[in-house]
Amino acid sequence: MRSAQQTKAAEQPARETMDWNTYFALRKTRRNYERAFMAPCALLGLGSAGYYFAQKDFDPTPIFGMDQIIVYGIGTVLAGIVGLAVGPVVGNMVFRGVNSKAKPIVDKMDKEFYKHIVRNRADPSSNSARNPIPDYYGEKIKSVSEYRTWLRKHREYRRKAKFYVGVD
């Protein structure tokens, strides 16, 4: 009969590994969470700023040399933009809360994936309008087969940049 410590030790390595397809599925889910929270956060920023500025009394004195209604409108739009920028952060936090058990594994896989990207991506110093660098950060990679395609595109980019094989 196994002791509790031996059972935990046997289960530990199994939980610390994840295949790449599962990682890419979780990565896609995380990105969907981030996208889903962009619009509500932007609307919350717009609505709260609009409500705040609608409650203020209008004074005929200018602010920064402009009419107050223009400054309040700019402030409302900026609050919406800030909400739009905060949305992915909130979405990522919600994703991490929902998938808290997988969080350390996903973080480890993120680091490993980023190392693969940095090691295999092409040098951007030879970037040009005729030969643009393809997906430099690997943001469009959603599966292992797309990763292989990404590798082929970067090898082709390096070859074209080195030997200047372009289409005129």
Side-chain angles (χ1 to χ4, degrees), residues 31-76:
R31 184 66 182 137
N32 287 339
Y33 270 86
E34 291 171 355
R35 286 182 181 155
F37 278 89
M38 284 174 73
C41 288
L43 291 175
L44 182 68
L46 276 172
S48 59
Y51 179 76
Y52 172 76
F53 290 130
Q55 299 301 318
K56 292 191 66 84
D57 291 331
F58 288 102
D59 191 13
T61 59
I63 301 174
F64 302 119
M66 293 185 279
D67 192 24
Q68 283 187 350
I69 191 78
I70 294 172
V71 174
Y72 291 166
I74 291 171
T76 304

Side-chain angles (χ1 to χ4, degrees), residues 43-139:
L43 291 175
L44 182 68
L46 276 172
S48 59
Y51 179 76
Y52 172 76
F53 290 130
Q55 299 301 318
K56 292 191 66 84
D57 291 331
F58 288 102
D59 191 13
T61 59
I63 301 174
F64 302 119
M66 293 185 279
D67 192 24
Q68 283 187 350
I69 191 78
I70 294 172
V71 174
Y72 291 166
I74 291 171
T76 304
V77 170
L78 287 177
I81 292 171
V82 168
L84 191 68
V86 169
V89 175
V90 173
N92 194 11
M93 288 170 44
V94 171
F95 171 79
R96 287 175 166 276
V98 170
N99 298 305
S100 60
K101 291 180 182 177
K103 183 169 62 170
I105 303 167
V106 170
D107 288 343
K108 186 180 103 177
M109 294 293 282
D110 276 339
K111 288 179 185 175
E112 188 174 337
F113 180 66
Y114 185 67
K115 285 180 186 176
H116 283 273
I117 294 296
V118 169
R119 183 175 56 231
N120 293 308
R121 68 181 168 202
D123 182 24
S125 64
S126 57
N127 190 18
S128 69
R130 284 187 170 191
N131 191 20
I133 191 162
D135 191 17
Y136 185 73
Y137 294 104
E139 296 166 334

Side-chain angles (χ1 to χ4, degrees), residues 137-154:
Y137 294 104
E139 296 166 334
K140 297 176 185 173
I141 299 172
K142 293 178 181 63
S143 66
V144 175
S145 64
E146 287 183 12
Y147 174 69
R148 290 184 185 125
T149 303
W150 182 88
L151 286 172
R152 281 192 295 274
K153 286 181 180 179
H154 277 261

